Amino acid sequence: AQSVTQLGSHVSVSEGALVLLRCNYSSSVPPYLFWYVQYPNQGLQLLLKYTSAATLVKGINGFEAEFKKSETSFHLTKPSAHMSDAAEYFCAVSVRGSYIPTFGRGTSLIVHP
Amino acid sequence: KAGVTQTPRYLIKTRGQQVTLSCSPISGHRSVSWYQQTPGQGLQFLFEYFSETQRNKGNFPGRFSGRQFSNSRSEMNVSTLELGDSALYLCASSHGQNTGELFFGEGSRLTVL
């Protein structure tokens, strides 16, 4: 079975600062990895996904994530935070043969002016 | 292409009542999954339907049920509502291939009084 751990339920940054949201996974087979974003009172929207191609994945809104097998990590980064990035971010993992991804508990990103 | 549509968006029920939520997936998607989201438990998987058959099931009591129609639209039903059923119920659709990438609706927010 696979699992995901998101370090930090809340992350606070200043506008213009680097955003780093941490995600570690556990999987006995090669994983598929995802980051989703949820704005208030909305559903989840896919930011980016890793499906065994390039280890550095670029997503929407300037976000990117790097798959590091040796560290079992898939951290999400953005060079410069914007007020509109304030939202809940979820990391998720699935494996071939499993149709249901496992989600982390989420990290709330707070952006200060 | 239209996204995943959930109805109703908001509803209030009292304990003991039942509720039915509806989900229309993206055209061409044959898999529909349902999740319950609460502040305390995060995203919890309820069940997944593919081609009118329940393919996966989470760890919820039998009061929670669902079905999928031939046009891939899905409904979930919660009977004998409890206060703890208050949550955002999210529907997600996919092609049904095993990558785990999901497309979410905006959710139905259920409040049980």
Side-chain angles (χ1 to χ4, degrees):
Chain A
Q2 63 269 20
S3 65
V4 170
T5 301
Q6 290 185 241
L7 299 174
S9 58
H10 294 83
V11 169
S12 181
V13 301
S14 298
E15 192 173 19
L18 171 72
V19 175
L20 171 60
L21 304 182
R22 299 178 187 272
C23 172
N24 288 89
Y25 70 92
S26 173
S27 175
S28 58
V29 297
Y32 299 127
L33 293 159
F34 309 86
W35 276 99
Y36 288 86
V37 60
Q38 184 179 33
Y39 298 102
N41 296 315
Q42 294 189 23
L44 278 69
Q45 176 185 0
L46 182 69
L47 267 180
L48 49 80
K49 62 182 178 183
Y50 167 78
T51 55
S52 77
T55 56
L56 181 62
V57 181
K58 294 187 183 299
I60 62 173
N61 301 338
F63 284 94
E64 63 181 36
E66 186 172 8
F67 171 67
K68 291 187 176 181
K69 183 178 178 180
S70 61
E71 299 177 9
T72 61
S73 69
F74 191 58
H75 302 330
L76 181 71
T77 61
K78 182 174 180 178
S80 176
H82 192 273
M83 296 296 289
S84 61
D85 294 327
E88 189 86 10
Y89 291 80
F90 293 90
C91 182
V93 62
S94 71
V95 298
R96 188 176 299 277
S98 170
Y99 305 97
I100 307 304
T102 299
F103 285 86
R105 294 299 299 268
T107 297
S108 178
L109 176 64
I110 303 161
V111 182
H112 297 286
Chain B
K1 194 182 240 188
V4 177
T5 303
Q6 291 189 245
T7 57
R9 288 293 313 280
Y10 302 91
L11 65 167
I12 300 173
K13 294 286 186 178
T14 57
R15 279 180 299 174
Q17 288 187 312
Q18 74 163 13
V19 66
T20 299
L21 309 178
S22 179
C23 173
S24 293
I26 291 172
S27 177
H29 285 188
R30 297 168 63 191
S31 169
V32 173
S33 301
W34 289 89
Y35 289 82
Q36 181 195 65
Q37 186 179 24
T38 59
Q41 299 297 320
L43 275 166
Q44 293 189 285
F45 171 70
L46 282 155
F47 28 66
E48 184 237 358
Y49 288 86
F50 180 80
S51 294
E52 302 179 65
T53 300
Q54 188 180 86
R55 187 164 63 173
N56 290 281
K57 187 177 187 303
N59 188 26
F60 276 80
R63 299 187 297 109
F64 293 81
S65 63
R67 59 178 176 169
Q68 186 180 35
F69 302 95
S70 58
N71 61 358
S72 293
R73 189 176 72 85
S74 177
E75 289 181 348
M76 68 162 283
N77 183 276
V78 188
S79 62
T80 319
L81 284 166
E82 301 175 359
L83 295 178
D85 296 334
S86 294
L88 181 66
Y89 290 88
L90 291 166
C91 166
S93 74
S94 74
H95 291 289
Q97 299 162 356
N98 56 353
T99 64
E101 180 178 352
L102 302 177
F103 297 82
F104 284 84
E106 293 191 313
S108 293
R109 183 165 295 282
L110 171 65
T111 301
V112 182
L113 302 177

